[in-house]
Amino acid sequence: MSVVAAEETTKVNYLTALRNVLHEEMERFPDMVCIGEDIGILGGAFGVTEGMRDKFGPDRVLDTPISESAIVGMAIGLAMTGRIVMAEMQFIDFISCGFDQIVNNAATMCYRTNGEVPLPIVIRGPSGGYGGGGPYHSQQNEAWFAHSPGLKVVIPSTPSDAAGLLRASLRDPNPVIFYEVKELYRKREIEEPIPPGEWIVPLGKAAIRREGTDLTLISYGNPLYLCLQAAELLQEREGINAEVIDLRTLVPLDKETILNSVKKTNRVVVVNEAPKTCGFAAEVVAIINEHVFEYLDAPVLRVTRADTPVPWVQPLELAVLPSVDKIYDTCIKVAKF
């Protein structure tokens, strides 16, 4: 087997896919810099930036103080001087400490300068629950930033999407908030080959992970896999053929794929890991009601986290988060309405 063929068939995990793209983009763009807490000498809390400081030097891979506000502020300044910046949040929960810099400064730069000052920043970090991390290490807070015009919001679910969407984000001229699902970082079951070359997944394009005709499940991130399991059970037990859509990018949102699926199946369940109130699932439900209400044969329902912090104790954590059983039961309710 040739070297090229071997590279095309070698499976990699979600984390390795991210790390490889960061290395490749740093090689391609000499002005690109990476900043964050412990990303240099340590290689990041999860190892996403492992080896980068040795390879590219401390002037391009900078360890920062524990201050998310300072990290984002520094990223904005660097980007304004023409640098591509990857800014890591050690856990996405702490992105709230940099909230002002993100929503008041980074998000508004394009509007305030009439598009004359690009701000190529990717703020990325591990997110989500199911790992016993408790309230400070389990949040899925994407709706905060989807609500702030000027930001793009990305949440990949597969290794190839992690690679392709990260590259697209790093080459975008405006700020991107990039959520990495830490429970997927080293999950062996989802390892896959990454397409060769400079693989890019365009921002704003959803993926249909399972074709179906009777009901549409819409999700992203870790719950996508719960939806796929629920879809198999629906087929096996009830003969219900569910379509499963992975949004991949919340802003910009691929409304066309959502609406076309609703027109086909007429029944919808939306699943997100964030709390129910004002979560992104609510926005998807509103869009469906605004554009294709006449195609619906049942109310659109949601499966989300409860409106509580994420508990440390696993039985309690699983009680508040979406599960296969909760998704399955909700689908049955919608299918038999």
Side-chain angles (χ1 to χ4, degrees):
M1 180 182 292
S2 72
V3 173
V4 172
E7 289 176 350
E8 292 176 2
T9 56
T10 301
K11 293 182 178 180
V12 302
N13 63 27
Y14 187 104
L15 186 147
T16 303
L18 293 165
R19 182 194 294 148
N20 289 346
V21 169
L22 287 176
H23 278 260
E24 290 163 8
E25 293 296 281
M26 285 285 279
E27 288 173 353
R28 180 179 176 85
F29 298 105
D31 286 335
M32 178 176 163
V33 295
C34 297
I35 60 176
E37 300 161 13
D38 294 324
I39 69 164
I41 295 173
L42 181 65
F46 291 88
V48 176
T49 56
E50 189 176 281
M52 292 185 65
R53 187 177 186 272
D54 291 339
K55 186 173 182 179
F56 300 105
D59 291 338
R60 294 185 64 198
V61 183
L62 284 76
D63 281 321
T64 67
I66 303 175
S67 172
E68 286 75 13
S69 181
I71 293 168
V72 180
M74 187 188 306
I76 293 170
L78 287 165
M80 290 179 71
T81 62
R83 313 296 290 270
I84 297 171
V85 187
M86 185 286 285
E88 179 178 294
M89 301 287 107
Q90 199 164 75
F91 287 87
I92 212 70
D93 311 62
F94 303 117
I95 197 172
S96 54
C97 299
F99 197 79
D100 176 54
Q101 290 283 12
I102 295 171
V103 302
N104 283 326
N105 293 324
T108 60
M109 184 63 72
C110 180
Y111 300 95
R112 288 186 286 118
T113 64
N114 196 28
E116 293 182 3
V117 179
L119 213 61
I121 301 171
V122 175
I123 301 172
R124 46 157 292 273
S127 68
Y130 298 96
Y136 301 120
H137 301 87
S138 304
Q139 293 179 33
Q140 198 64 63
N141 47 34
E142 64 277 5
W144 294 347
F145 302 105
H147 188 68
S148 298
L151 300 175
K152 296 182 176 70
V153 180
V154 178
I155 308 182
S157 299
T158 68
S160 59
D161 276 2
L165 289 167
L166 180 58
R167 196 187 309 279
S169 299
L170 288 166
R171 296 186 184 185
D172 194 277
N174 290 303
V176 178
I177 311 297
F178 195 92
Y179 285 82
E180 298 167 4
V181 184
K182 61 179 180 292
E183 286 301 304
L184 301 181
Y185 270 158
R186 293 182 171 83
K187 192 169 186 175
R188 297 294 302 273
E189 297 92 328
I190 68 168
E191 290 181 358
E192 61 183 356
I194 307 300
E198 295 188 355
W199 168 243
I200 288 179
V201 176
L203 304 183
K205 185 62 181 171
I208 297 175
R209 300 299 185 191
R210 186 184 193 278
E211 296 274 358
T213 55
D214 301 328
L215 182 148
T216 299
L217 275 161
I218 301 172
S219 191
Y220 53 91
N222 206 0
L224 170 75
Y225 294 97
L226 306 180
C227 290
L228 288 168
Q229 292 177 55
E232 292 303 315
L233 291 177
L234 288 165
Q235 183 77 63
E236 182 181 313
R237 296 175 182 173
E238 301 287 341
I240 296 171
N241 187 12
E243 183 150 291
V244 179
I245 294 176
D246 179 1
L247 294 180
R248 305 200 287 193
T249 304
L250 306 190
V251 183
L253 181 65
D254 183 358
K255 295 179 184 177
E256 183 179 5
T257 295
I258 295 172
L259 301 180
N260 285 341
S261 183
V262 176
K263 290 177 182 177
K264 179 172 65 172
T265 68
N266 313 114
R267 299 172 191 272
V268 188
V269 173
V270 189
V271 183
N272 76 211
E273 192 182 322
K276 187 170 192 174
T277 302
C278 296
F280 197 76
E283 179 64 22
V284 176
V285 173
I287 289 169
I288 291 169
N289 284 329
E290 287 171 0
H291 294 279
V292 288
F293 180 77
E294 66 273 23
Y295 286 89
L296 294 173
D297 288 338
V300 182
L301 296 186
R302 290 173 284 168
V303 179
T304 71
R305 192 178 105 199
D307 286 337
T308 71
V310 179
W312 270 290
V313 181
Q314 190 176 42
L316 294 178
E317 180 187 36
L318 296 179
V320 305
L321 292 171
S323 67
V324 174
D325 287 344
K326 291 175 187 174
I327 297 167
Y328 177 87
D329 291 345
T330 305
C331 288
I332 292 295
K333 189 174 182 180
V334 169
K336 296 186 176 181
F337 178 81

